[in-house]
Structure formats: C-alpha cells, structure tokens
Amino acid sequence: MDGATGAAGCGPAPVSYEFYQDGYGGALPAADFSEVMPAAVRMVGSLTGAREVQGGWDDDQADAWRRAVCAAADAFAEYGEGRVGGFSIGSFSVTNYRDDGTTGAEVAREAALAELAGTGLCWSGVR
C-alpha cells in the first residue's frame, strides 16, 4: 500500500500502512488506520510544526515522527477525539479505563509526545 493516499485521496499518506504494521507494530485494520490518519497527522503536526517528514531530519527523527503519528492513530482509533469515559443504556454499561475527564485528543497527544521524546522535534513556538 505504498501508493496510499492521504485524506480524500489528496497526495501520498505521510505514513504508510506498511510502516504502521512493520515499523511500529500496529494492529489496526488498514481501513481504520486510514480513517484516523488525518487526525493523527494534525496532532503530530501541532506538536512538531510539520505535517510530513522534513528533508533535514536524520533517520531517527523521521522514524520518531512516523511512530508519533502511529501512536496518535492508535489512540484516536481507540478513544476518538472527544471525551474519554463510559456510558450506560438501561442495565448495560461500559466503562473505559481512562475515565478521568480527559479526551481522546489528550490521550493521542501523550502517546505522540512519548514517541517524540528526546528527538528535538517538539515544536515550541515561532521559528
């Protein structure tokens, strides 16, 4: 799936499904991965100031950026972008183990930051 495209078929995807599976060790089905990819790229872009791997980065930085996108994608696939928690319908209830008032976006941010730690890629303001 190297020819995978980004959101709405607009250009190449910044992280291939093959990297997600083989380089990161992800387990989402391809369709689910593609669905959360735009949100994951936006999240990592907000942290690094880049929505794709940059030419001046070394291989370790490029891989860390891709891994951060994969980590955010996993979080968005599990939690969505809204509030994390549980719900009840009649006597049926589901409680998410992250029911601490946080959002899926915050979980994705934490996961991405863990992958970016020590790389110097976390964007901290105006360049």
Side-chain angles (χ1 to χ4, degrees):
M1 193 190 255
D2 277 342
T5 58
C10 298
V15 177
S16 71
Y17 185 66
E18 286 77 19
F19 179 87
Y20 171 71
Q21 286 186 306
D22 300 333
Y24 178 72
L28 291 174
D32 293 347
F33 177 73
S34 294
E35 185 177 322
V36 296
M37 178 61 65
V41 169
R42 281 192 312 272
M43 173 60 65
V44 175
S46 74
L47 297 172
T48 64
R51 290 194 175 202
E52 61 187 20
V53 171
Q54 303 296 298
W57 293 349
D58 63 32
D59 289 343
D60 290 338
Q61 289 174 314
D63 281 348
W65 187 91
R66 288 183 191 102
R67 291 181 62 78
V69 170
C70 293
D74 276 350
F76 282 128
E78 184 171 349
Y79 299 108
E81 292 186 60
R83 186 171 184 277
V84 172
F87 66 91
S88 296
I89 301 173
S91 63
F92 177 79
S93 77
V94 174
T95 302
N96 191 307
Y97 61 90
R98 290 281 314 230
D99 190 14
D100 56 3
T102 190
T103 66
E106 289 169 337
V107 175
R109 179 183 173 94
E110 290 172 12
L113 284 171
E115 294 293 340
L116 294 169
T119 65
L121 293 179
C122 291
W123 187 70
S124 61
V126 179
R127 292 181 186 201

